[in-house]
Amino acid sequence: MKKKKKVILAYSGGLDTSCCLVWLKERGYDVVCFSADLGSEFSPAVLRKKAKQSGASKIYIKDLRSEFAKEYILASLKAGAIYQGKYLLNTALGRPLIAKYLVEIAKKEGAGFVSHGCTAKGNDQVRLELVVKTLNPKLKIIAPLREWELTSRESEVEYAKAKKIPIENTKKKIYSIDKNIWGTSIEAGILENLENEPTEDAFIETVSLSKASAKPQYISLEFAKGKPTKLNGKRCNFVKIIERLNKIGGKHCIGRTDLIEDRMVGIKSREVYEAPAAWILRTAHKELESLVLDKETLYFKEIISLKYAQIVYQGLWFSRIKQSLDGFVAKSQTRVSGKITLKLYKGNIIIAKRSSPYSLYKESLATYGKKDTFNRDWAKGFIDIWSMPFIEK
Ligand code: ARG
């Protein structure tokens, strides 16, 4: 008998990937599922059962939170990456990691195909496939959602029912949600109409502003060479820091954004994000950089941050440009050590204190008081020379 073609499917257990699984089986593939735990809080036992029920021959479930935090989130935090001012790239950062494992598992399993449940309109298909292609150009990619006849959610539900695919939530799902430790992306449903505000049930981690704690809360974060090392004076691994900050920030309604976003495929889309830990860490990290970096490095870092965000957004994680930017970032971070104290209150992150052994702030130069050491005589000559090139008359 001819050996079946083997495919590794990126599987979440949701409606799309469950239908993909059955669809692939019907086309004669031997389907091996892969589920990455990046902090989406699924139950491995339930997932395993579901995959088996839908006909998977095997499932790999990997807790990748630590690798995600150390290799992907940390690089992005140090780089200061932010897309279109409001998106800290939670979804985008996870995709290259998932793709990397798809390629690894394909090798281990001797599979010639990989598959995913991304739509033809989104960024995730580009990110996953680009990484798969760069890491192993020989692998063939199957994207059922771009090919199959199930063009709406309703038709998928029908298909799932007909094929006895276990789906817990048949009631109308109002949002499409992608969650990991770095944040949650919320899209579709009522958000497609720009007149609608997201309803409170869109959010997982944060309470509403009206339910946010009535008391401000102070927290301190310590960094060593750009890496967060201590929360409130206690040494903590990076994953724990992120998870704790999500809880703390959630109580103060920190880190909600609403963005009209430019996707790679040319569409503008409405995206809502919830990322308490990411915003707290970004704010503290950026504040520390302002204290310890000279102004030229800071100015240039802004450009790097912008470019880095585009690179991550566009799925170019395993690229020369990304590695080259990392080189600049690494050098800039050698001084980014110190402590930032923040006040969290009703959706706001307020800087309370900053300190660093590398601080370039000198009170004796900045003060308007008696202890001023700034040489006033230098100012006039400085302005004369500085203005010279601009005097046209
Ligand atoms: N717009 C964001 C991005 O492209 C979030 C995408 C959310 N993805 C999802 N499969 N729900 O990065």
Side-chain angles (χ1 to χ4, degrees), residues 289-334:
E289 282 189 332
S290 336
L291 186 66
V292 300
L293 294 180
D294 64 277
K295 66 177 181 183
E296 287 300 329
T297 308
L298 275 174
Y299 292 162
F300 201 71
K301 180 89 198 302
E302 294 270 325
I303 299 170
I304 297 282
S305 300
L306 206 60
K307 191 68 205 165
Y308 207 97
Q310 284 173 359
I311 296 294
V312 173
Y313 193 82
Q314 295 172 7
L316 300 172
W317 189 262
F318 297 102
S319 65
R320 191 167 298 278
I321 172 76
K322 186 264 181 190
Q323 284 173 13
S324 309
L325 296 178
D326 277 335
F328 176 91
V329 172
K331 189 75 195 168
S332 72
Q333 298 303 292
T334 54

Side-chain angles (χ1 to χ4, degrees), residues 171-190:
K171 77 169 191 259
K172 205 162 177 280
K173 208 177 126 195
I174 49 171
Y175 302 106
S176 157
I177 289 182
D178 178 57
K179 180 180 187 297
N180 65 43
I181 50 171
W182 199 232
T184 303
S185 304
I186 306 147
E187 47 185 19
I190 61 157

Side-chain angles (χ1 to χ4, degrees), residues 87 91-92 95 123-124 127 176-178 185 187 261 263 271 273 313:
Y87 176 33
T91 295
R95 300 306 173 194
N123 296 314
D124 291 328
R127 296 173 183 141
S176 157
I177 289 182
D178 178 57
S185 304
E187 47 185 19
E261 177 175 310
R263 286 196 187 164
E271 309 279 325
Y273 297 105
Y313 193 82

Side-chain angles (χ1 to χ4, degrees), residues 1-12:
M1 205 177 77
K2 207 170 147 245
K3 230 178 121 211
K4 273 189 181 176
K5 291 176 288 185
K6 203 185 255 190
V7 58
I8 315 299
L9 169 68
Y11 177 75
S12 71

